[in-house]
Amino acid sequence: MKQLFRALLRYFFKGLLVVVPLGAAFLLIFWAVKTLDNALNLSDFLWTDPKTGKPMYIPGLGIVNVVVIILVAGILVTNVVTDPIKRWFYRWLNRLPLFKFLYSSIKDLTEAFVGEEKKFNEPVLVEINEFGVKKIGFVTQKDLSALNLPGDVAVYFPWSYSFAGQVIIISADKVKPIDKSAADMMKFVISGGVSGL
């Protein structure tokens, strides 16, 4: 009876290792999609049920709205928006300091991941103290002469289980490139060192 119980317990824990990450990933994706759909779904305002006269909710319309808005914005920015319009927009933006700060921070972070000049694509190893402790980071700026720091680089260190991190300025000779893909190294750091290699 003990062997049967041990076998069942072992199978249970092995199943747990499969089901919990899958369930958590699906739950997180479902929550994000549902929240986005609810926030941007305009069907409640646009359509009413002809029989009851009540607002009619169409699931998925919010996601369709997001995709259409992103596509239209991409088409407009690529084909219609000219440099004078961009300059006018940035002049207007400079009059709203808080909005400018938020906009530029989010824009820079988005461009770091999906822009033409991706920033988190150069993983490095940095020795941070005299005891030989090393951290994995990503070079984000190679030329800091604008800060009167020639020969130094900016390295971003993401924190485990978080999208936050820390930027340090360090001498370029203390930074050692890692011969692995940036995605694998980011996964390694974010997961606390348990996956990605």
Side-chain angles (χ1 to χ4, degrees), residues 134-146:
K134 298 174 181 71
K135 287 180 86 172
I136 294 171
F138 298 86
V139 174
T140 54
Q141 293 288 335
K142 288 184 178 180
D143 181 17
L144 295 177
S145 53

PDB file of all heavy atoms in Angstrom, residues 134-146:
ATOM      1  N   LYS A 134      29.638  38.037 -10.188  1.00  0.00           N
ATOM      2  CA  LYS A 134      29.344  38.495 -11.543  1.00  0.00           C
ATOM      3  C   LYS A 134      27.840  38.609 -11.742  1.00  0.00           C
ATOM      4  O   LYS A 134      27.080  37.855 -11.151  1.00  0.00           O
ATOM      5  CB  LYS A 134      29.915  37.517 -12.574  1.00  0.00           C
ATOM      6  CG  LYS A 134      31.429  37.381 -12.521  1.00  0.00           C
ATOM      7  CD  LYS A 134      31.895  36.296 -13.458  1.00  0.00           C
ATOM      8  CE  LYS A 134      33.388  36.119 -13.411  1.00  0.00           C
ATOM      9  NZ  LYS A 134      33.887  35.525 -12.184  1.00  0.00           N
ATOM     10  N   LYS A 135      27.445  39.561 -12.596  1.00  0.00           N
ATOM     11  CA  LYS A 135      26.035  39.735 -12.940  1.00  0.00           C
ATOM     12  C   LYS A 135      25.894  39.709 -14.452  1.00  0.00           C
ATOM     13  O   LYS A 135      26.782  40.164 -15.167  1.00  0.00           O
ATOM     14  CB  LYS A 135      25.494  41.070 -12.405  1.00  0.00           C
ATOM     15  CG  LYS A 135      25.300  41.102 -10.909  1.00  0.00           C
ATOM     16  CD  LYS A 135      24.763  42.434 -10.458  1.00  0.00           C
ATOM     17  CE  LYS A 135      23.268  42.459 -10.562  1.00  0.00           C
ATOM     18  NZ  LYS A 135      22.668  43.651  -9.973  1.00  0.00           N
ATOM     19  N   ILE A 136      24.738  39.200 -14.911  1.00  0.00           N
ATOM     20  CA  ILE A 136      24.431  39.212 -16.335  1.00  0.00           C
ATOM     21  C   ILE A 136      23.609  40.461 -16.628  1.00  0.00           C
ATOM     22  O   ILE A 136      22.643  40.760 -15.932  1.00  0.00           O
ATOM     23  CB  ILE A 136      23.653  37.949 -16.738  1.00  0.00           C
ATOM     24  CG1 ILE A 136      24.534  36.722 -16.559  1.00  0.00           C
ATOM     25  CG2 ILE A 136      23.152  38.049 -18.173  1.00  0.00           C
ATOM     26  CD1 ILE A 136      23.813  35.406 -16.728  1.00  0.00           C
ATOM     27  N   GLY A 137      24.026  41.177 -17.655  1.00  0.00           N
ATOM     28  CA  GLY A 137      23.319  42.386 -18.040  1.00  0.00           C
ATOM     29  C   GLY A 137      23.302  42.535 -19.546  1.00  0.00           C
ATOM     30  O   GLY A 137      23.721  41.636 -20.284  1.00  0.00           O
ATOM     31  N   PHE A 138      22.835  43.699 -19.997  1.00  0.00           N
ATOM     32  CA  PHE A 138      22.730  43.995 -21.414  1.00  0.00           C
ATOM     33  C   PHE A 138      23.261  45.404 -21.651  1.00  0.00           C
ATOM     34  O   PHE A 138      22.802  46.348 -21.009  1.00  0.00           O
ATOM     35  CB  PHE A 138      21.282  43.889 -21.888  1.00  0.00           C
ATOM     36  CG  PHE A 138      20.718  42.511 -21.719  1.00  0.00           C
ATOM     37  CD1 PHE A 138      20.151  42.116 -20.519  1.00  0.00           C
ATOM     38  CD2 PHE A 138      20.785  41.599 -22.759  1.00  0.00           C
ATOM     39  CE1 PHE A 138      19.652  40.838 -20.356  1.00  0.00           C
ATOM     40  CE2 PHE A 138      20.287  40.317 -22.605  1.00  0.00           C
ATOM     41  CZ  PHE A 138      19.724  39.932 -21.410  1.00  0.00           C
ATOM     42  N   VAL A 139      24.219  45.535 -22.578  1.00  0.00           N
ATOM     43  CA  VAL A 139      24.760  46.855 -22.900  1.00  0.00           C
ATOM     44  C   VAL A 139      23.674  47.654 -23.611  1.00  0.00           C
ATOM     45  O   VAL A 139      23.105  47.209 -24.602  1.00  0.00           O
ATOM     46  CB  VAL A 139      26.014  46.732 -23.799  1.00  0.00           C
ATOM     47  CG1 VAL A 139      26.474  48.115 -24.249  1.00  0.00           C
ATOM     48  CG2 VAL A 139      27.130  46.022 -23.072  1.00  0.00           C
ATOM     49  N   THR A 140      23.369  48.838 -23.063  1.00  0.00           N
ATOM     50  CA  THR A 140      22.338  49.678 -23.678  1.00  0.00           C
ATOM     51  C   THR A 140      22.932  50.928 -24.332  1.00  0.00           C
ATOM     52  O   THR A 140      22.312  51.489 -25.222  1.00  0.00           O
ATOM     53  CB  THR A 140      21.275  50.099 -22.643  1.00  0.00           C
ATOM     54  OG1 THR A 140      21.921  50.720 -21.537  1.00  0.00           O
ATOM     55  CG2 THR A 140      20.477  48.897 -22.171  1.00  0.00           C
ATOM     56  N   GLN A 141      24.088  51.375 -23.876  1.00  0.00           N
ATOM     57  CA  GLN A 141      24.773  52.521 -24.493  1.00  0.00           C
ATOM     58  C   GLN A 141      26.278  52.250 -24.480  1.00  0.00           C
ATOM     59  O   GLN A 141      26.847  51.994 -23.420  1.00  0.00           O
ATOM     60  CB  GLN A 141      24.500  53.817 -23.720  1.00  0.00           C
ATOM     61  CG  GLN A 141      23.086  54.302 -23.771  1.00  0.00           C
ATOM     62  CD  GLN A 141      22.709  54.867 -25.124  1.00  0.00           C
ATOM     63  OE1 GLN A 141      23.549  55.314 -25.888  1.00  0.00           O
ATOM     64  NE2 GLN A 141      21.429  54.843 -25.430  1.00  0.00           N
ATOM     65  N   LYS A 142      26.906  52.332 -25.653  1.00  0.00           N
ATOM     66  CA  LYS A 142      28.351  52.099 -25.726  1.00  0.00           C
ATOM     67  C   LYS A 142      29.158  53.386 -25.694  1.00  0.00           C
ATOM     68  O   LYS A 142      30.330  53.373 -25.374  1.00  0.00           O
ATOM     69  CB  LYS A 142      28.690  51.336 -27.013  1.00  0.00           C
ATOM     70  CG  LYS A 142      28.251  49.906 -26.988  1.00  0.00           C
ATOM     71  CD  LYS A 142      28.714  49.203 -28.241  1.00  0.00           C
ATOM     72  CE  LYS A 142      28.310  47.751 -28.179  1.00  0.00           C
ATOM     73  NZ  LYS A 142      28.726  47.013 -29.373  1.00  0.00           N
ATOM     74  N   ASP A 143      28.531  54.494 -26.011  1.00  0.00           N
ATOM     75  CA  ASP A 143      29.240  55.767 -26.056  1.00  0.00           C
ATOM     76  C   ASP A 143      28.606  56.728 -25.061  1.00  0.00           C
ATOM     77  O   ASP A 143      27.482  57.202 -25.276  1.00  0.00           O
ATOM     78  CB  ASP A 143      29.184  56.345 -27.474  1.00  0.00           C
ATOM     79  CG  ASP A 143      29.929  57.658 -27.582  1.00  0.00           C
ATOM     80  OD1 ASP A 143      30.746  57.959 -26.682  1.00  0.00           O
ATOM     81  OD2 ASP A 143      29.695  58.393 -28.560  1.00  0.00           O
ATOM     82  N   LEU A 144      29.304  56.996 -23.970  1.00  0.00           N
ATOM     83  CA  LEU A 144      28.785  57.906 -22.943  1.00  0.00           C
ATOM     84  C   LEU A 144      29.592  59.201 -22.889  1.00  0.00           C
ATOM     85  O   LEU A 144      29.677  59.841 -21.848  1.00  0.00           O
ATOM     86  CB  LEU A 144      28.799  57.213 -21.577  1.00  0.00           C
ATOM     87  CG  LEU A 144      27.872  56.003 -21.451  1.00  0.00           C
ATOM     88  CD1 LEU A 144      28.026  55.353 -20.097  1.00  0.00           C
ATOM     89  CD2 LEU A 144      26.424  56.407 -21.677  1.00  0.00           C
ATOM     90  N   SER A 145      30.180  59.585 -24.026  1.00  0.00           N
ATOM     91  CA  SER A 145      30.965  60.822 -24.055  1.00  0.00           C
ATOM     92  C   SER A 145      30.083  62.046 -23.793  1.00  0.00           C
ATOM     93  O   SER A 145      30.565  63.067 -23.319  1.00  0.00           O
ATOM     94  CB  SER A 145      31.714  60.957 -25.379  1.00  0.00           C
ATOM     95  OG  SER A 145      30.831  60.822 -26.460  1.00  0.00           O
ATOM     96  N   ALA A 146      28.781  61.945 -24.066  1.00  0.00           N
ATOM     97  CA  ALA A 146      27.864  63.055 -23.779  1.00  0.00           C
ATOM     98  C   ALA A 146      27.777  63.312 -22.275  1.00  0.00           C
ATOM     99  O   ALA A 146      27.427  64.414 -21.843  1.00  0.00           O
ATOM    100  CB  ALA A 146      26.479  62.755 -24.340  1.00  0.00           C
TER     101      ALA A 146
END
